[in-house]
Amino acid sequence: MDSLSSLYLDAPLAGARDATIEMLAQRTPKFSLPQPFYNDARLFALDMQEIFEKEWLFAAMTCEIPAKGNYVTLEVGDNSIILVRGAAGEVHGFHNVCRHRGSRLCLKEKGKVAKLVCPYHQWTYELDGRLLFAGSDMGEDFDLAAYGLKPIHVQVGGGMIYVSLAEAPTPIDDFMAGLDEYLAPYQMDDIQVAAESSIIEEANWKLVIENNRECYHCNGAHPELLNSLQEFDDSDDPRATPAYRALVARKQADWEAAGVPWRLTHLGRRNRLTRTPLLAGTVSMTLDGAPACQKLMGRLPNADMGSLRILHLPNSWNHFMGDHAVVFRVLPLGPQKTLVTTKWLVHKDAVAGVDYDPDALRKVWDATNDQDRRLAEENQRGVNSKGYQPGPYSETYEFGVIDFVDWYSERMLANLGESAPALQLVQS
């Protein structure tokens, strides 16, 4: 065990925050994190408080709540959230908590309602969160206007819904504008979720994200995925071959002529958008590289659109192709338990069994997700050993992991610093 981990484990509960700040300040750059960041319950609680309750999170697709009254729910740690389509078509977000005695309002993952009604005592809310009915027993002077649902911050870009539980979240307007631009050709109001899976990985959420941010492991782990996926998505990547650079140049000319955005865009370390070709001769992430769906997405001129890759830290990566898209959402469940949800998207008029085979559509990423699960879980088992100490990342193959760990460290330090006065007050 390294000295920074020992420093943390020896700290009393009230000192865990200070010890976390010290570990982050002293960590070796371009190395993995000290052990407690991957398995300690106190540090997991800080992750939830300082990252998942403060940063912007990918939550759902607008196509999942297409009409007035459609809703979805999700759990961010102990926080249950409702996303509901309002009367004017806007997306509202609320804490899934009745203002009476705190019961959850919506008990299902998705559904459609005329009003939001608490199943406990039937307090009734409008879709915009206003309390409409609390019964006559509250008295004549009861102020309904004072007990509306508590809102959360919601941003929508390119048909993707992001939420933040912070009181004043950091701005993401540039990312929303990027999503609107890059996803415009897909006409995101005209898509549907064709398939969905949720798997639990017995690993810390950071190990799940680290595994995603590199393809160093791909040759040895993902035979199905490598039937179509390029290991790199940037012609400036030092590993990029002349053949890849030539393919990129040809495809970028085609995309430019079709008016389809493709340029690599970095928005800090948190967000990344780029379109990159799949392997020559393939057009989709399927076992044979052929389209999985016969109806193309949006206004795309053909299936050969490569993969539009969209990264959003801390909890999402995505692939948009000509015939379908695959979106991923990560939500931590515990220090060593993470929920990974995958959704396959197709044109809204595509019919299962006619335009696409659901099993063929999801075969590559079902296999890849299971392979990644096993890798992350074995990584976790090794990290838990007293023999673990932070190891070096490859700057050539694991630069994406370095970026993620740097982003995480920066945001943790910034958010822990902002929370320090309130913490000191509680401790005193």
Side-chain angles (χ1 to χ4, degrees):
M1 182 182 296
D2 61 289
S3 58
L4 287 180
S5 297
S6 297
L7 175 150
Y8 182 86
L9 295 176
D10 290 341
L13 182 60
R17 180 179 294 261
D18 291 339
T20 298
I21 293 173
E22 185 72 12
M23 282 194 295
L24 288 172
Q26 293 188 23
R27 74 180 183 93
T28 304
K30 301 174 183 176
F31 273 59
S32 58
L33 294 164
Q35 187 182 61
F37 284 94
Y38 299 116
N39 65 5
D40 184 83
R42 295 171 298 172
L43 216 153
F44 174 76
L46 289 178
D47 273 359
M48 296 308 297
Q49 178 178 311
E50 305 301 336
I51 298 295
F52 281 84
E53 293 182 10
K54 291 185 177 178
E55 301 298 329
W56 286 99
L57 308 175
F58 170 60
M61 305 298 299
T62 55
C63 68
E64 297 179 80
I65 48 173
K68 176 185 174 182
N70 283 124
Y71 74 85
V72 294
T73 63
L74 68 153
E75 312 296 315
V76 181
D78 293 329
N79 302 286
S80 185
I81 292 167
I82 307 169
L83 295 170
V84 61
R85 183 75 72 168
E90 67 275 47
V91 178
H92 297 293
F94 304 105
H95 287 280
N96 189 14
V97 178
C98 182
R99 294 296 307 281
H100 177 208
R101 286 169 53 188
S103 181
R104 289 197 307 160
L105 292 165
C106 296
L107 309 184
K108 298 179 181 179
E109 289 187 8
K110 59 185 66 177
K112 187 172 185 178
V113 294
K115 309 293 181 187
L116 295 165
V117 181
C118 179
Y120 200 176
H121 300 97
Q122 285 69 58
W123 279 33
T124 302
Y125 303 84
E126 187 52 271
L127 300 178
D128 62 8
R130 289 176 293 129
L131 178 61
L132 299 176
F133 172 78
S136 58
D137 295 334
M138 299 307 295
E140 293 182 0
D141 296 331
F142 182 71
D143 184 6
L144 291 173
Y147 291 92
L149 295 178
K150 291 198 171 178
I152 62 170
H153 294 277
V154 175
Q155 289 268 21
V156 176
M160 306 182 78
I161 306 172
Y162 295 80
V163 300
S164 175
L165 306 185
E167 290 186 11
T170 55
I172 58 165
D173 293 347
D174 53 353
F175 181 49
M176 294 299 104
L179 290 175
D180 285 338
E181 176 189 358
Y182 278 72
L183 290 172
Y186 294 84
Q187 297 175 336
M188 297 295 286
D189 289 337
D190 295 331
I191 65 169
Q192 62 173 312
V193 176
E196 179 175 343
S197 78
S198 288
I199 62 172
I200 292 177
E201 302 190 14
E202 301 290 338
N204 184 269
W205 71 273
K206 292 186 290 296
L207 293 179
V208 173
I209 297 294
E210 287 188 31
N211 176 72
N212 170 261
R213 296 315 308 136
E214 49 91 357
C215 212
Y216 194 7
H217 68 277
C218 288
N219 272 327
H222 297 320
E224 296 86 357
L225 185 61
L226 291 185
N227 283 338
S228 59
L229 183 75
Q230 300 273 4
E231 287 191 51
F232 28 78
D233 60 6
D234 182 355
S235 56
D236 290 333
D237 189 312
R239 299 168 298 146
T241 63
Y244 172 75
R245 292 190 175 96
L247 177 63
V248 166
R250 292 197 305 273
K251 295 303 182 185
Q252 287 176 349
D254 292 342
W255 300 331
E256 188 75 24
V260 176
W262 54 267
R263 297 183 186 279
L264 171 61
T265 300
H266 286 278
L267 299 171
R269 293 188 175 96
R270 177 172 59 179
N271 298 121
R272 186 173 186 270
L273 303 96
T274 188
R275 186 180 304 279
T276 190
L278 297 173
L279 291 178
T282 69
V283 299
S284 190
M285 290 182 180
T286 54
L287 282 179
D288 61 3
C293 183
Q294 298 309 306
K295 284 190 179 295
L296 300 183
M297 300 187 77
R299 61 171 179 82
L300 298 175
N302 57 68
D304 194 5
M305 288 290 111
S307 170
L308 170 60
R309 301 187 187 187
I310 300 172
L311 169 69
H312 175 76
L313 298 177
N315 82 318
S316 183
W317 63 90
N318 311 274
H319 292 277
F320 284 78
M321 292 152 283
D323 66 313
H324 78 283
V326 194
V327 298
F328 302 85
R329 184 186 69 199
V330 170
L331 291 173
L333 300 179
Q336 300 180 49
K337 184 174 291 189
T338 303
L339 177 67
V340 178
T341 299
T342 307
K343 297 173 184 178
W344 288 262
L345 313 176
V346 298
H347 192 282
K348 71 174 183 180
D349 295 332
V351 177
V354 177
D355 299 301
Y356 67 95
D357 175 352
D359 291 335
L361 179 75
R362 56 187 293 170
K363 192 176 291 292
V364 166
W365 275 105
D366 273 345
T368 303
N369 284 341
D370 188 58
Q371 292 152 0
D372 282 334
R373 176 190 60 78
R374 285 182 273 126
L375 291 170
E377 290 178 352
E378 288 304 324
N379 195 178
Q380 183 69 66
R381 292 185 180 102
V383 165
N384 288 344
S385 168
K386 68 179 182 179
Y388 168 79
Q389 65 182 61
Y393 296 123
S394 163
E395 294 184 51
T396 302
Y397 283 88
E398 296 171 306
F399 55 88
V401 185
I402 294 170
D403 279 350
F404 164 61
V405 172
D406 285 347
W407 176 87
Y408 166 80
S409 301
E410 290 166 3
R411 295 312 302 154
M412 279 291 280
L413 284 170
N415 291 339
L416 285 166
E418 292 171 358
S419 304
L423 176 77
Q424 292 167 2
L425 181 63
V426 170
Q427 291 179 354
S428 63

